[in-house]
Amino acid sequence: MPNEVKLPLVRTGSIALVICVIIAILGGLIAQQRGGVMNDGLWSLAATIPGVLIPMGILLAMPAKNAPEWSVPVLAGTMIRALTVLTIGMAIYMIASPDRVVFFLTMLSALMITLIIDVASVLSLIQKHTPGMTPAVDAEGIS
């Protein structure tokens, strides 16, 4: 079908990975200010990186779809990411015992920002590739 597209996963995945690294570094700096060590924030990378890569690999393997049809697979990918990050994060917390507040808030921040990236990428894809979609300023009666 002519309207079928692939998700821009290389771009969004790269952005998500960079965001995870930045958040982990900031978490490490916050941990140091709280009297901990830099690793308390950096441990979150061990949980968030697989959490980004696994759903990205699954979505990359999917065939092209109409833009609106990507919303459900991306939502499923987000759930897979959350479960992966939580599972790995709990294991890390039990084994390495990083600062609880910094570690879990760092992971939560990474999950929330990657969720925003996912939603924005799907909404952008739908807006660009759905025929008949017009911006609100072009609609009748809006000036």
Side-chain angles (χ1 to χ4, degrees), residues 72-87:
V72 173
V74 170
L75 176 63
T78 300
M79 287 190 245
I80 291 168
R81 175 181 303 121
L83 289 172
T84 302
V85 170
L86 179 60
T87 303

Side-chain angles (χ1 to χ4, degrees), residues 5 13 24 40 42 44-45 51 58 68 70 74 76 81 84-85 87 92 102 104 109-110 115 123 127 131-133:
V5 292
D40 288 347
L42 295 179
S44 67
L45 276 179
I58 293 169
W70 278 109
V74 170
R81 175 181 303 121
T84 302
V85 170
T87 303
I92 290 170
V102 172
F104 284 108
S109 298
L115 173 63
L123 289 176
Q127 185 179 13
M133 293 283 291

Side-chain angles (χ1 to χ4, degrees), residues 2 5-6 11 13 21 33 36 38 42 48 50 62 69 72 74 76 95 112 129:
V5 292
K6 293 284 279 179
R11 181 183 65 207
V21 170
Q33 288 183 345
M38 185 74 167
L42 295 179
T48 56
M62 295 182 75
E69 293 174 7
V72 173
V74 170
I95 293 168
M112 292 302 295
H129 296 283

Side-chain angles (χ1 to χ4, degrees), residues 39-114:
N39 284 345
D40 288 347
L42 295 179
W43 274 116
S44 67
L45 276 179
T48 56
I49 296 297
V52 170
L53 294 177
I54 291 170
M56 191 171 94
I58 293 169
L59 291 171
L60 272 171
M62 295 182 75
K65 301 178 175 304
N66 289 325
E69 293 174 7
W70 278 109
S71 57
V72 173
V74 170
L75 176 63
T78 300
M79 287 190 245
I80 291 168
R81 175 181 303 121
L83 289 172
T84 302
V85 170
L86 179 60
T87 303
I88 296 171
M90 285 303 295
I92 290 170
Y93 181 72
M94 290 177 174
I95 293 168
S97 299
D99 180 348
R100 182 184 65 215
V101 173
V102 172
F103 179 68
F104 284 108
L105 286 178
T106 302
M107 286 192 324
L108 178 62
S109 298
L111 282 172
M112 292 302 295
I113 293 174
T114 55

Side-chain angles (χ1 to χ4, degrees), residues 134-143:
T134 58
V137 293
D138 293 340
E140 283 186 51
I142 298 178
S143 48

